[in-house]
Amino acid sequence: MKLKWTLFTVMVSIAALLSGCEPLLVLDPKGPQAERLASDILLSMGIMLFIVLVVLGLLAYMLVKYRASNMPDDYEPPHIHGNLWVEAICVGVPIIIVAYLSFVSVQSNYIVEAQPEGYEDKEPLVVYASSSNWKWHFSYPEENIETVNYLYVPTDRPLEFKLYSHGPITSFWIPQLGGQKYAMNDHITTLHLAADHAGEFLGRNSNFSGEGFADNTFNVTAMSQTEFDEWVDEVKETAEPLTETEFEELLEPGHLGQLTYTGTHLEFAPPNHGHHSEEGSESEHEGHEAETTETDSHEDHSEHSNH
């Protein structure tokens, strides 16, 4: 009796604690990329829950049906070398589940890596998002402004982030808009996102990068295109210009609040344009072709000289 009351108390306590928890951000999507990822997570959870319920149901059935009190006193279980159906189920079902989840994962990966569905005909807002210990720098090249530790974006417009790092590898992640992607020192990676709803979201570095990693976060505000344009005009009228000296000071390890500047560091400290993208592949391919042509010309000239 005491055991039952103990279990009941534990269950009530857990329910009370969980009732005060906020919803998981990844399951509260505000953009098409995040919606795709959330649906995949729910699909995986549903499959796992089904497996657990089936296994527990079979366990309860076996315990009840083959309990000792339900068997005759002289019962001896038969000696069985194997069962084809049991072995087929134990091996075949996991293979089917893994194959299905793999297919869904690969399909979703292609979808979230491309421009968001429904935004193909819209011009994306390009933002260079770079990290340093332990800050985030957001450069708007078209608007010619830069912010530190906060990001303003318009809704109903594709967002194209160019990610790189001024120090260790970090991971750019806005859970309610999409999945994470790494920012590296010698390469630019591209992340496509979009915000369907206005609001404030949390962004962070999800890759450990030193003692200040826990506070390496930034705020994201999604607003209408009109409000975004008004904010850009206000920044150009009120913010101070970003100088090379000040930017070098910003790169020093430490934490800062939210800062706003006119101009961007892309003018005097451009990133390394080695891409992990189709654009980078094409550039490398063109460079390789140029190098090959130059080598062939040199060889032809050498043969002509020898002749």
Side-chain angles (χ1 to χ4, degrees), residues 110-132:
Y110 278 102
I111 291 175
V112 299
E113 285 291 329
Q115 196 166 337
E117 294 182 353
Y119 292 87
E120 294 84 0
D121 298 332
K122 297 183 179 181
E123 185 70 20
L125 172 68
V126 178
V127 179
Y128 282 76
S130 57
S131 63
S132 63

Side-chain angles (χ1 to χ4, degrees), residues 173-220:
W173 189 30
I174 308 174
Q176 290 179 274
L177 296 185
Q180 67 85 27
K181 201 162 193 177
Y182 290 112
M184 296 173 282
N185 186 267
D186 290 331
H187 297 279
I188 293 180
T189 52
T190 302
L191 177 65
H192 296 280
L193 298 177
D196 290 337
H197 306 277
E200 295 185 0
F201 316 121
L202 174 66
R204 65 170 301 108
N205 166 26
S206 62
N207 186 61
F208 180 76
S209 58
E211 61 180 353
F213 154 77
D215 295 320
N216 195 186
T217 61
F218 58 93
N219 296 321
V220 183

Side-chain angles (χ1 to χ4, degrees), residues 9 23 27-28 70 78 88 96 120 127 143 167 171 194 210 222-223 258 277 283 297 303 306:
T9 303
L27 298 181
D28 185 26
N70 199 35
I96 294 173
E120 294 84 0
V127 179
E143 290 74 18
S171 177
M223 60 190 72
Q258 297 181 354
S277 62
S283 299
S297 300
E303 290 177 0
N306 292 334

Side-chain angles (χ1 to χ4, degrees), residues 40-108:
D40 289 350
I41 294 173
L42 292 174
L43 173 65
S44 301
M45 293 173 61
I47 292 176
M48 289 187 289
L49 179 61
F50 174 77
I51 294 172
V52 169
L53 293 178
V54 169
V55 171
L56 292 179
L58 290 174
L59 176 62
Y61 173 77
M62 298 298 179
L63 291 176
V64 172
K65 181 175 177 60
Y66 297 103
R67 66 187 187 277
S69 60
N70 199 35
M71 296 289 106
D73 295 335
D74 58 348
Y75 172 77
E76 290 187 8
H79 182 72
I80 302 175
H81 291 284
N83 186 292
L84 180 61
W85 285 107
V86 172
E87 294 174 0
I89 292 173
C90 291
V91 175
V93 171
I95 290 177
I96 294 173
I97 294 173
V98 171
Y100 176 68
L101 290 178
S102 299
F103 172 78
V104 172
S105 299
V106 172
Q107 188 180 42
S108 296

